[in-house]
Amino acid sequence: MDHYDSQQTNDYMQPEEDWDRDLLLDPAWEKQQRKTFTAWCNSHLRKAGTQIENIEEDFRDGLKLMLLLEVISGERLAKPERGKMRVHKISNVNKALDFIASKGVKLVSIGAEEIVDGNVKMTLGMIWTIILRFAIQDISVEETSAKEGLLLWCQRKTAPYKNVNIQNFHISWKDGLGFCALIHRHRPELIDYGKLRKDDPLTNLNTAFDVAEKYLDIPKMLDAEDIVGTARPDEKAIMTYVSSFYHAFSGAQKAETAANRICKVLAVNQENEQLMEDYEKLASDLLEWIRRTIPWLENRAPENTMHAMQQKLEDFRDYRRLHKPPKVQEKCQLEINFNTLQTKLRLSNRPAFMPSEGRMVSDINNAWGCLEQAEKGYEEWLLNEIRRLERLDHLAEKFRQKASIHEAWTDGKEAMLRQKDYETATLSEIKALLKKHEAFESDLAAHQDRVEQIAAIAQELNELDYYDSPSVNARCQKICDQWDNLGALTQKRREALERTEKLLETIDQLYLEYAKRAAPFNNWMEGAMEDLQDTFIVHTIEEIQGLTTAHEQFKATLPDADKERLAILGIHNEVSKIVQTYHVNMAGTNPYTTITPQEINGKWDHVRQLVPRRDQALTEEHARQQHNERLRKQFAAQANVIGPWIQTKMEEIGRISIEMHGTLEDQLSHLRQYEKSIVNYKPKIDQLEGDHQLIQEALIFDNKHTNYTMEHIRVGWEQLLTTIARTINEVENQILTRDAKGISQEQMNEFRASFNHFDRKKTGMMDTDDFRACLISMGYNMGEAEFARIMSIVDPNRLGVVTFQAFIDFMSRETADTDTADQVMASFKILAGDKNYITVDELRRELPPDQAEYCIARMAPYSGPDAVPGALDYMSFSTALYGESDL
């Protein structure tokens, strides 16, 4: 759809946005639209011999809706479904809606189901959309269209009339003068406009509607009462009614359309005559081209050369590629023009066109068939001729290729077979030459087949009477003669190579035996020199003893090694003797080894010199390792005593801190005795440090006599000192706690017993679960919040463990809380007497100076009714003595 159509669609679809809102605002409009839309539909359906009574019921099956669209559009819709089921109705309505949509109409919220269900709002909306598209959209006045164009037409037509001011399609038509003015403007004889009064709208409207129905064939779409009795008539109903007036008064345009139709018919006749002339000329030209082309295609005169036949094939390809395609197009266009012409004549009710005799489409098709038959035969003949010449050319080319390949292969072969390179070759070279000769013989046998193929091809070319057969025969004969000569030279060279091979095999065996014995003996000497000069690093006396033993075993093998050396030199001397005796031309040295007798003697002398040097080095290292072993044993003897001693002390301290033997003072005394004994052990640690210093200076890295290292001893010693100090501090803190909280020894023992029992891992600390179990066993009934509060007291750093000190602090606090308030009150009454307060002077008189000042600084003034200057409160007193957390 072009830009104009798109704009038109947007214009007349704009009112759809307010469809539902309008209906909801004024139900009277629905009545007007029902009446107007029903009358409009029947004005078109009458042309098809039918009509509707109820607009939402009669369109439900989609049949009359499709018929309405066919009548107003002049087009055929898809074949409707004749079934009575809902699915058939929906299908018909969908076909109608699809047709509307195909005209560029956007259906807003209108579906086939609503129409089939008889939805009044949707049905009226659909009919209004149809009216807009087919009755209003095409109205065009001075470059305005649809609603604006219709409004402008009304304004122009009614402009000369008084009391008529058309500004819209509702209020402007309420008095009926607008309808009467339109009729009077086009048919003044039908209405006496001068007698109409603006204050009598019913008469005006009835006059206009009756005249329009009687004389203009415009059905009565509204009653005058519908318009007058409504404050604002329905715009869609008025637009529909007015559009009928517009179409009724378009007679002048129809006359113009009729004239245009006549011109169109004349133009069609002229076009048809031109098509007839074009067909006759095109048919005549095409038949003439076919008549000239068929004899050329039927020419079967053969050519003697491939070039000439290829030229004919190229000409045929040019025909297919350049000459025939335009003619195919002409033939196709001829048939198209003929069919088009016949169709136009049939549509114009004119007799069918009959071409001249022999120029019918069937005549052209028959001639074209003869052309293609001749073309097919010509192509087959060309291909067969080309294949025949290709066969001859292929055989000749194949002969040349095979002959060239064979000649290239035989080039230099005779010179190679005549050379005497074997006279100065070694045995390995002789064997290589023999293998090479065997390979050549195999290659020669393989080429026998090519020679036979060359001869066979030459024979076939002779039988086919090839024009260049003499040169082929001469070349073939030369190849065969050369082949026989190569066979004779090959046999002669094989015999010479085999004789030379036997002469050198004896010498080769001696060379091989020399190499087999010289190589391992040379490797043995090189290994011996490497071992004798190798720098050894040992850390134990056993390692140096092992090296010494291995060296003695090596020296025991020297006599046998010397015998092997002499045997190897004897083999080399035997080879020299044979060469001199038989005058063998030896090219080079022993092919199996590069080891010479001079090299063997030189390495042997070097080995003999290295043996005493190795003896001296092993003796010196043995003495050093004996000294290191003494240092190891000396360190191990002390470490094996000190290490267990430290471990034992650690265990004893742990038992003292856990067990409940005696009072805390007894445990503290016992621990301090342990501390003194540990400090007295320090000289032994220092002595062990000195031995370790000697071991490090001697670069001793391991000691099999002990599992203790100096690092282990140091760490253990430091842990021992730390443990005894920490344990003493814990006992001291327990004593302070006991005395401060008034805990008896029996209670301390009970606390320790409970702690030890729930310290399942025996680490001196309880984890969270163990602590919870301990509290439950002691009668505590607490929730998660209470347990979290207790954990914040015993584990303020949130380490997840509870120490014994934290445990007894908590337990002592729990037992003491019940007595704290009474103790505070008793202490206060002793100092205050019968008063409710204590004076500063009384505190300074009863308490030591530093403690009195401590309390005074922390106590608040007493503000009771009997207060005196310098009085102090009871609560401040208790806080100063015991702290807020204990109260």
Side-chain angles (χ1 to χ4, degrees), residues 306 389-398 400 466:
M306 188 66 179
L389 293 176
E390 280 181 344
R391 174 64 179 165
L392 280 176
D393 288 347
H394 173 71
L395 286 174
E397 181 61 26
K398 187 175 181 180
R400 287 190 292 271
Y466 182 59

Side-chain angles (χ1 to χ4, degrees), residues 445-598:
H447 278 74
Q448 176 69 33
D449 183 56
R450 179 177 285 113
V451 174
E452 293 175 356
Q453 290 177 4
I454 291 172
I457 293 172
Q459 179 64 27
E460 187 174 359
L461 287 172
N462 285 325
E463 292 173 357
L464 293 175
D465 196 20
Y466 182 59
Y467 73 94
D468 199 18
S469 293
S471 63
V472 171
N473 293 334
R475 192 173 184 182
C476 181
Q477 186 60 43
K478 180 180 178 182
I479 290 172
C480 292
D481 294 342
Q482 186 185 35
W483 183 256
D484 294 337
N485 188 35
L486 286 176
L489 292 174
T490 300
Q491 182 62 29
K492 183 177 179 181
R493 180 172 174 80
R494 165 171 279 281
E495 294 172 354
L497 289 172
E498 289 175 347
R499 285 195 303 270
T500 306
E501 179 187 24
K502 292 178 180 179
L503 180 64
L504 296 178
E505 276 185 345
T506 301
I507 296 175
D508 185 72
Q509 289 296 327
L510 292 173
Y511 272 151
L512 182 60
E513 184 178 359
Y514 173 86
K516 287 181 178 179
R517 300 179 69 173
F521 185 72
N522 182 67
N523 290 337
W524 176 84
M525 289 191 297
E526 289 179 348
M529 289 187 293
E530 183 178 353
D531 292 340
L532 291 171
Q533 297 177 90
D534 186 24
T535 300
F536 51 83
I537 299 175
V538 294
H539 299 94
T540 64
I541 190 68
E542 290 81 3
E543 292 179 356
I544 192 60
Q545 288 174 349
L547 290 176
T548 302
T549 301
H551 183 63
E552 292 301 325
Q553 292 173 353
F554 168 74
K555 290 193 293 183
T557 63
L558 290 177
D560 292 336
D562 191 36
K563 291 179 181 179
E564 179 65 15
R565 179 181 65 85
L566 295 175
I568 293 171
L569 295 176
I571 295 173
H572 183 268
N573 293 334
E574 186 176 355
V575 171
S576 300
K577 187 185 296 184
I578 292 173
V579 169
Q580 293 174 3
T581 302
Y582 295 98
H583 305 287
V584 178
N585 185 9
M586 297 300 296
T589 58
N590 191 331
Y592 298 109
T593 182
T594 59
I595 303 172
T596 63
Q598 295 79 10

Side-chain angles (χ1 to χ4, degrees), residues 296 315-326 372 375-376 379:
W296 173 70
D315 293 342
F316 181 70
R317 288 173 178 168
D318 289 341
Y319 157 78
R320 278 274 185 88
R321 186 175 61 254
L322 302 177
H323 303 296
K324 184 179 179 182
E372 290 188 336
E375 179 183 313
K376 180 179 179 182
E379 183 179 20

Side-chain angles (χ1 to χ4, degrees), residues 32-91:
Q32 296 179 24
Q33 290 174 6
R34 279 174 178 268
K35 185 178 296 184
T36 303
F37 291 176
T38 301
W40 184 88
C41 292
N42 285 332
S43 69
H44 293 285
L45 289 174
R46 280 197 298 270
K47 300 174 184 178
T50 186
Q51 65 179 10
I52 61 173
E53 299 295 335
N54 190 317
I55 195 167
E56 67 269 20
E57 290 294 331
D58 294 348
F59 283 141
R60 288 180 62 182
D61 60 2
L63 295 175
K64 290 188 177 181
L65 178 61
M66 295 178 67
L67 181 61
L68 173 65
L69 291 173
E70 289 183 348
V71 170
I72 62 179
S73 68
E75 301 180 20
R76 295 289 296 176
L77 272 69
K79 184 178 181 181
E81 302 284 347
R82 295 298 179 179
K84 300 298 183 179
M85 297 176 65
R86 176 180 174 85
V87 65
H88 299 136
K89 297 177 181 180
I90 291 176
S91 176

Side-chain angles (χ1 to χ4, degrees), residues 581-678:
T581 302
Y582 295 98
H583 305 287
V584 178
N585 185 9
M586 297 300 296
T589 58
N590 191 331
Y592 298 109
T593 182
T594 59
I595 303 172
T596 63
Q598 295 79 10
E599 185 178 353
I600 291 175
N601 288 331
K603 291 181 179 180
W604 175 257
D605 293 339
H606 192 200
V607 169
R608 296 296 297 272
Q609 294 171 4
L610 292 174
V611 170
R613 300 178 189 173
R614 185 72 168 184
D615 291 335
Q616 182 180 357
L618 288 172
T619 301
E620 294 174 354
E621 182 62 27
H622 189 270
R624 192 176 73 86
Q625 289 300 325
Q626 286 179 333
H627 174 69
N628 289 349
E629 186 66 14
R630 287 193 297 273
L631 291 176
R632 288 191 184 93
K633 291 179 178 179
Q634 180 178 339
F635 177 84
Q638 297 183 69
N640 288 336
V641 174
I642 295 174
W645 181 86
I646 293 174
Q647 183 64 30
T648 301
K649 293 300 179 182
M650 290 287 289
E651 294 172 355
E652 291 176 353
I653 294 170
R655 286 196 300 272
I656 292 173
S657 64
I658 296 175
E659 294 175 352
M660 299 176 291
H661 301 304
T663 64
L664 292 176
E665 285 78 2
D666 294 338
Q667 294 179 19
L668 181 61
S669 176
H670 198 183
L671 289 171
R672 284 175 176 166
Q673 291 176 4
Y674 263 80
E675 183 180 26
K676 183 177 181 181
S677 65
I678 290 169

Side-chain angles (χ1 to χ4, degrees), residues 408-449:
W409 179 81
T410 57
D411 185 33
K413 294 295 188 294
E414 292 182 3
M416 181 270 292
L417 293 172
R418 289 191 176 92
Q419 64 183 350
K420 297 182 178 181
D421 49 350
Y422 51 82
E423 293 181 349
T424 58
T426 63
L427 179 59
S428 60
E429 291 172 343
I430 287 295
K431 290 184 178 295
L433 289 174
L434 268 171
K435 290 185 178 295
K436 184 178 179 181
H437 190 71
E438 290 174 358
F440 173 76
E441 288 177 335
S442 298
D443 195 15
L444 186 68
H447 278 74
Q448 176 69 33
D449 183 56

Side-chain angles (χ1 to χ4, degrees), residues 148-399:
E148 289 76 9
L150 182 60
L151 183 62
L152 181 60
W153 178 79
C154 294
Q155 291 171 343
R156 295 292 174 84
K157 295 298 182 180
T158 61
Y161 295 88
K162 65 179 181 178
N163 297 326
V164 178
N165 183 17
I166 304 300
Q167 298 297 325
N168 50 55
F169 287 105
H170 38 82
I171 301 300
S172 298
W173 303 87
K174 193 172 180 180
D175 57 7
L177 293 178
F179 290 105
C180 293
L182 287 178
I183 297 174
H184 186 269
R185 180 66 181 269
H186 294 89
R187 298 286 299 276
E189 74 278 8
L190 298 179
I191 292 180
D192 186 359
Y193 188 83
K195 294 182 179 181
L196 299 176
R197 302 197 319 272
K198 185 176 180 63
D199 58 355
D200 189 8
L202 284 176
T203 301
N204 299 339
L205 289 170
N206 285 323
T207 300
F209 294 166
D210 293 341
V211 170
E213 183 177 20
K214 182 177 181 180
Y215 297 102
L216 302 179
D217 197 25
I218 298 175
K220 190 174 184 179
M221 299 183 184
L222 288 172
D223 292 331
E225 292 78 8
D226 295 335
I227 299 176
V228 175
T230 304
R232 184 176 183 269
D234 181 62
E235 183 180 52
K236 300 176 180 62
I238 298 299
M239 282 181 65
T240 303
Y241 215 152
V242 172
S243 67
S244 299
F245 282 85
Y246 172 85
H247 291 293
F249 294 137
S250 59
Q253 184 176 357
K254 291 181 181 178
E256 182 180 354
T257 301
N260 291 337
R261 186 178 295 112
I262 294 172
C263 294
K264 184 177 180 181
V265 170
L266 294 176
V268 169
N269 290 339
Q270 292 175 346
E271 182 180 356
N272 291 342
E273 292 176 359
Q274 184 62 43
L275 286 175
M276 294 177 189
E277 294 178 4
D278 292 345
Y279 175 85
E280 290 285 345
K281 184 178 185 305
L282 190 59
S284 177
D285 294 345
L286 183 59
L287 289 171
E288 177 62 21
W289 177 82
I290 293 173
R291 185 187 63 78
R292 294 195 311 269
T293 304
I294 289 177
W296 173 70
L297 293 173
E298 291 176 345
N299 182 15
R300 302 291 190 271
E303 301 291 341
N304 294 326
T305 64
M306 188 66 179
H307 176 72
M309 289 305 298
Q310 287 178 341
Q311 184 59 47
K312 280 194 171 187
L313 180 61
E314 187 63 28
D315 293 342
F316 181 70
R317 288 173 178 168
D318 289 341
Y319 157 78
R320 278 274 185 88
R321 186 175 61 254
L322 302 177
H323 303 296
K324 184 179 179 182
K327 299 303 178 181
V328 173
Q329 184 64 31
E330 290 178 10
K331 177 177 177 295
C332 179
Q333 189 61 44
L334 190 68
E335 294 176 356
I336 291 173
N337 292 348
F338 182 80
N339 293 332
T340 301
L341 177 59
Q342 298 291 35
T343 300
K344 289 184 176 182
L345 291 173
R346 184 172 60 254
L347 294 176
S348 303
N349 295 323
R350 299 290 300 279
F353 170 63
M354 291 295 296
S356 303
E357 184 177 358
R359 296 178 183 175
M360 295 289 292
V361 173
S362 58
D363 297 332
I364 295 174
N365 287 335
N366 292 334
W368 190 265
C370 295
L371 173 71
E372 290 188 336
Q373 188 64 32
E375 179 183 313
K376 180 179 179 182
Y378 187 69
E379 183 179 20
E380 292 176 353
W381 174 77
L382 279 176
L383 293 177
N384 289 333
E385 283 297 306
I386 289 173
R387 290 191 192 100
R388 184 181 68 82
L389 293 176
E390 280 181 344
R391 174 64 179 165
L392 280 176
D393 288 347
H394 173 71
L395 286 174
E397 181 61 26
K398 187 175 181 180
F399 175 83

